[in-house]
Amino acid sequence: MTLDTLPPSEAVPALGTGIANLPNQRHKIVAKNGANFTLMVCGESGVGKTTFVNTLFTTTIKEPKNLNKRRITKTSSKTVQIQITRAELEEKMFKVKLTIIDTPGFGDYVNNRHSWIPIVDFIDDQHENYMRQEQQPCRKGVIDMRVHCCLYFIKPTGHTLSPLDVEVMKRLGSRVNLIPVIAKADTLTPSDLAKFKQNVKEVIAAQNIQCYSAPIESDDESTMKRNINIMAAMPFAVIGSTQDVMTQDGRKVKGREYSWGVAEVENDEHCDFKKLRSVLIRTHMLDLITTTEETHYENYRQMQMETRKFGDPRVEKDENAKFAEEEEALRMSFTEKVKAEEARFRHWEQQLLSERDRLHKELESQNERIKELQYELETYYNQRDSPRSIRK
């Protein structure tokens, strides 16, 4: 008996229902539509953010700054800016719409208090814009600018995190997938770098800073070992370079050439660039996108839904929030001055009351003196007139 002559009830189990083809269908849809990925780089100027982005994607995504024109084009406004760079990358017929968010001006001033507010507001605004678009009757063509990952570049001081780093990372960790990165790892010796890494880890744990944690468990043992190895390297120490250099053994690699040798970008013994690239692109990009959707965006949405009705606009924050401490200081100064003036007025009042009492007592004593004088005068007149009456 052939398969064509079998009854339908017997032929179906042999061929299956076709459910196993669903991943293939999903793969075709994703391959056709591509993906959107938004990456934010945050850190002080000069730590190599632009170079790292160009090295990561092996192309010029952001144009390097012209150091000769930096002083000429420098503005006097001491505010953190938000720069958005868009690019479309294609590899093996798969397209990714990449958005790079840069934060020029962050940490570049003597007083960096509240310099994180524009960054935090931008992340919250993207969640708010996406939530507002979801609430519309027509949701076609939704613009999604939610930040999927934030790379926070730590200056390689060799000591520990600065107070500004701790404050900013606390606020970013609760809103976005935060990945701390030690910039310019080739400026530290291996022992100093390991010590610096350990200090950063201790501060992150002590301050309860939320950093991105990639899923470790997997059915594949090799994948699990790779994930453990990757997460053990956080914070990632990276070297950025778009230049090709020759090693002593004749290999042409991306790196930086020094008198003592070559610092290779894609050498695990020199830096953690390959591990960070694996997290961002090769192994965990989908998890970064999913975590943003299911964790950070949902947390924001839930918080907003608890405090306002459906369709209501978001309560605008105080525009002078960055001057809250200055306002509080002025308020306290004004209160102290008012208290000082009130104390001075009370002192004057006490002085006036004391002077009034003194004058009253003095007036009473004068009245008594006058009465005494009047009595003495009357007595005198009486004594003077008494002999005359006797003579008559």
Side-chain angles (χ1 to χ4, degrees):
M1 181 181 294
T2 63
L3 183 62
D4 295 334
T5 60
L6 286 174
S9 59
E10 298 180 10
V12 169
L15 297 176
T17 59
I19 296 177
N21 290 325
L22 185 59
N24 298 331
Q25 299 175 29
R26 186 62 182 172
H27 172 75
K28 292 179 181 179
I29 295 174
V30 173
K32 179 181 178 181
N33 297 334
N36 295 324
F37 188 70
T38 303
L39 177 67
M40 173 179 281
V41 288
C42 182
E44 299 180 17
S45 297
V47 295
K49 301 187 297 294
T50 300
T51 304
F52 173 79
V53 170
N54 294 337
T55 307
L56 180 65
F57 297 102
T58 64
T59 185
T60 304
I61 303 293
K62 289 177 59 64
E63 291 294 335
K65 294 180 180 179
N66 190 340
L67 299 179
N68 297 326
K69 296 182 179 180
R70 177 176 291 182
R71 293 184 178 181
I72 301 176
T73 59
K74 188 175 181 180
T75 58
S76 59
S77 60
K78 296 184 178 182
T79 56
V80 179
Q81 302 175 2
I82 301 295
Q83 285 186 355
I84 301 176
T85 304
R86 294 182 174 87
E88 186 171 317
L89 306 179
E90 183 175 354
E91 183 178 276
K92 296 181 179 179
M93 303 299 292
F94 183 78
K95 296 181 179 180
V96 174
K97 295 180 180 179
L98 179 67
T99 304
I100 304 295
I101 311 296
D102 196 3
T103 57
F106 172 78
D108 294 346
Y109 307 103
V110 176
N111 184 5
N112 293 298
R113 185 176 300 174
H114 304 301
S115 60
W116 57 82
I117 290 181
I119 303 173
V120 172
D121 287 347
F122 177 82
I123 296 175
D124 289 344
D125 289 343
Q126 305 317 308
H127 289 314
E128 176 67 19
N129 293 337
Y130 188 83
M131 187 176 70
R132 297 290 293 178
Q133 293 180 83
E134 277 194 328
Q135 295 174 354
Q136 301 303 316
C138 181
R139 297 187 294 182
K140 292 183 179 180
V142 174
I143 300 175
D144 187 4
M145 282 283 292
R146 292 173 297 178
V147 180
H148 298 123
C149 180
C150 176
L151 298 180
Y152 188 84
F153 285 77
I154 303 170
K155 202 170 182 179
T157 59
H159 301 291
T160 185
L161 294 176
S162 66
L164 177 63
D165 295 333
V166 174
E167 197 68 30
V168 176
M169 291 174 69
K170 277 185 177 181
R171 286 169 165 78
L172 291 177
S174 60
R175 291 174 167 86
V176 69
N177 294 318
L178 176 65
I179 298 180
V181 175
I182 299 175
K184 296 184 176 180
D186 52 334
T187 60
L188 297 174
T189 62
S191 59
D192 290 341
L193 180 59
K195 186 177 179 180
F196 186 43
K197 266 192 176 187
Q198 185 61 31
N199 293 340
V200 172
K201 288 181 179 180
E202 292 176 357
V203 173
I204 289 175
Q207 296 294 331
N208 293 324
I209 299 174
Q210 300 179 21
C211 295
Y212 171 70
S213 179
I216 295 178
E217 295 183 359
S218 177
D219 297 335
D220 187 6
E221 185 176 354
S222 62
T223 302
M224 184 181 297
K225 290 182 179 179
R226 181 197 62 197
N227 294 338
I228 294 174
N229 186 29
I230 289 175
M231 295 310 300
M234 188 178 292
F236 300 100
V238 299
I239 301 173
S241 176
T242 57
Q243 303 295 325
D244 292 329
V245 295
M246 297 296 297
T247 61
Q248 294 180 353
D249 55 0
R251 292 181 295 110
K252 188 176 182 181
V253 296
K254 298 286 184 182
R256 294 184 179 273
E257 188 173 6
Y258 298 96
S259 58
W260 46 264
V262 175
E264 300 179 26
V265 172
E266 298 188 10
N267 190 335
D268 288 336
E269 296 181 357
H270 295 178
C271 69
D272 302 322
F273 176 83
K274 290 177 65 176
K275 297 176 182 177
L276 181 56
R277 181 178 62 186
S278 178
V279 171
L280 294 176
I281 302 176
R282 297 190 175 182
T283 59
H284 294 88
M285 176 184 280
L286 180 60
D287 185 68
L288 290 169
I289 297 174
T290 305
T291 306
T292 301
E293 174 74 30
E294 298 179 354
T295 303
H296 298 293
Y297 171 69
E298 285 300 322
N299 290 341
Y300 176 85
R301 181 177 176 275
Q302 182 179 358
M303 181 179 63
Q304 294 299 319
M305 290 294 103
E306 290 176 352
T307 56
R308 72 191 202 202
K309 296 181 180 179
F310 181 81
D312 288 350
R314 181 177 59 175
V315 178
E316 293 296 333
K317 299 179 181 179
D318 186 7
E319 295 181 356
N320 296 326
K322 63 176 62 179
F323 304 115
E325 294 185 6
E326 287 80 357
E327 289 179 0
E328 184 64 23
L330 290 174
R331 189 179 294 107
M332 293 179 63
S333 176
F334 176 75
T335 304
E336 292 296 329
K337 289 182 178 179
V338 169
K339 289 181 179 180
E341 290 297 321
E342 289 179 351
R344 189 158 61 94
F345 285 139
R346 291 194 189 97
H347 182 66
W348 285 353
E349 185 180 9
Q350 293 295 331
Q351 287 183 339
L352 291 174
L353 292 175
S354 300
E355 184 68 16
R356 184 193 65 180
D357 295 340
R358 187 187 66 81
L359 292 175
H360 283 172
K361 291 180 180 179
E362 185 177 352
L363 182 60
E364 290 177 357
S365 63
Q366 292 295 333
N367 287 334
E368 292 178 357
R369 180 62 179 164
I370 291 173
K371 289 180 181 180
E372 291 178 358
L373 292 175
Q374 285 178 351
Y375 177 74
E376 291 178 0
L377 185 61
E378 289 177 358
T379 304
Y380 173 75
Y381 283 138
N382 291 335
Q383 291 178 356
R384 188 189 64 177
D385 294 341
S386 59
R388 291 180 183 179
S389 60
I390 297 173
R391 290 177 184 177
K392 292 179 181 180

